[in-house]
């Protein structure tokens, strides 16, 4: 961590977040549009991650190769659970519950995303730091976490939440 590759990724992520939040501030799309876009990016990101880390392992009798997704890549991490929260918030009809969901998402997206970018687990579990710009999972990781940080900031600025 904190090699020149990691620091370069942090700069790229900061630029992506800045550009996204600035574009939101200029155009001010509705929260449904923002959540739909975030959901599409998140689902595509998760598919890309799974496709890039899936392994072919021999069957018990050794005649077939079967796809295997290592347990540490199952979408059960807190940031991956944000995908479910984004979907629920996007399609929720009850305004009070939606507001509560968005109020939960805003800080958890920002804090969780920042911590993930500062301590990227992919460099200790999936790829080496030298693969930071040559592996699809690296792009997925940094783009996804930048997106959830931007989403948290947009939710906080949107006026959808009545902070009290």
């Amino acid at each position: 961590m904190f090699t020149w590759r990691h620091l370069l990724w942090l700069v790229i992520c900061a630029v992506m977040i800045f550009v996204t939040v600035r574009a939101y501030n200029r155009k001010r799309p509705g929260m449904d549009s923002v959540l739909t876009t975030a959901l599409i990016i998140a689902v595509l990101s998760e598919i890309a991650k799974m496709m890039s880390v899936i392994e072919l392992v021999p069957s018990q009798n050794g005649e077939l190769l079967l796809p295997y997704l290592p347990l540490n890549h199952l979408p059960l991490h807190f940031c991956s659970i944000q995908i479910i929260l984004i979907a629920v918030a996007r399609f929720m009809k009850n305004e009070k519950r939606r507001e509560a969901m968005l109020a939960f998402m805003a800080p958890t997206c920002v804090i969780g995303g920042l911590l993930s970018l500062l301590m990227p687990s992919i460099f200790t579990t999936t790829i080496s730091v030298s693969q930071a710009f040559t592996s699809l999972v690296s792009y997925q990781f940094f783009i996804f976490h930048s997106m959830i940080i931007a989403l948290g900031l947009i939710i906080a600025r949107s006026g959808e939440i009545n902070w009290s």
Side-chain angles (χ1 to χ4, degrees), residues 29-78:
M31 186 52 63
D32 282 347
S33 296
V34 170
L35 291 171
T36 299
T37 303
L39 185 58
I40 291 168
I41 292 169
V43 168
L44 291 175
S45 169
E46 201 63 32
I47 291 169
K49 178 182 81 172
M50 286 193 272
M51 295 306 288
S52 66
V53 298
I54 207 160
E55 301 171 11
L56 291 177
V57 296
S59 62
Q60 188 174 8
N61 63 7
E63 292 181 12
L64 296 171
L65 289 177
L66 302 171
Y68 171 73
L69 185 65
L71 292 176
N72 63 322
H73 293 293
L74 290 175
L76 300 173
H77 299 266
F78 193 66

Side-chain angles (χ1 to χ4, degrees), residues 5 10 15 23 25 39 79 94 105 114-116 129 145 158:
R5 290 173 178 94
L10 291 177
V15 170
N25 287 335
L39 185 58
C79 292
N94 184 315
M105 288 172 61
L114 279 172
L115 289 174
S116 292
V129 178
H145 288 95
S158 69

Side-chain angles (χ1 to χ4, degrees), residues 6-22 113-114 117-118 142-143 145-147 149-150 153:
H6 182 208
L7 294 174
L8 182 56
W9 262 119
L10 291 177
V11 170
I12 292 168
C13 291
V15 170
M16 287 190 297
I17 294 165
F18 176 79
V19 168
T20 303
V21 173
R22 186 169 175 138
L114 279 172
L117 290 180
L118 292 175
F142 287 102
I143 291 170
H145 288 95
S146 297
M147 184 273 299
I149 293 169
L153 295 172

Side-chain angles (χ1 to χ4, degrees), residues 69-142:
L69 185 65
L71 292 176
N72 63 322
H73 293 293
L74 290 175
L76 300 173
H77 299 266
F78 193 66
C79 292
S80 298
I81 291 173
Q82 290 290 351
I83 300 170
I84 297 166
L85 298 178
I86 293 167
V88 169
R90 168 58 184 93
F91 296 108
M92 186 175 285
K93 300 294 182 206
N94 184 315
E95 290 299 319
K96 281 190 165 242
R97 288 185 181 165
R98 178 177 163 140
E99 182 181 348
M101 179 77 70
L102 293 173
F104 174 77
M105 288 172 61
T108 58
C109 282
V110 173
I111 294 168
L114 279 172
L115 289 174
S116 292
L117 290 180
L118 292 175
M119 298 178 287
S121 61
I122 59 164
F123 292 148
T124 57
T125 62
T126 309
I127 62 171
S128 66
V129 178
S130 64
Q131 297 172 298
F133 290 99
T134 59
S135 174
L136 177 62
V137 74
S138 181
Y139 287 87
Q140 177 276 329
F141 180 90
F142 287 102

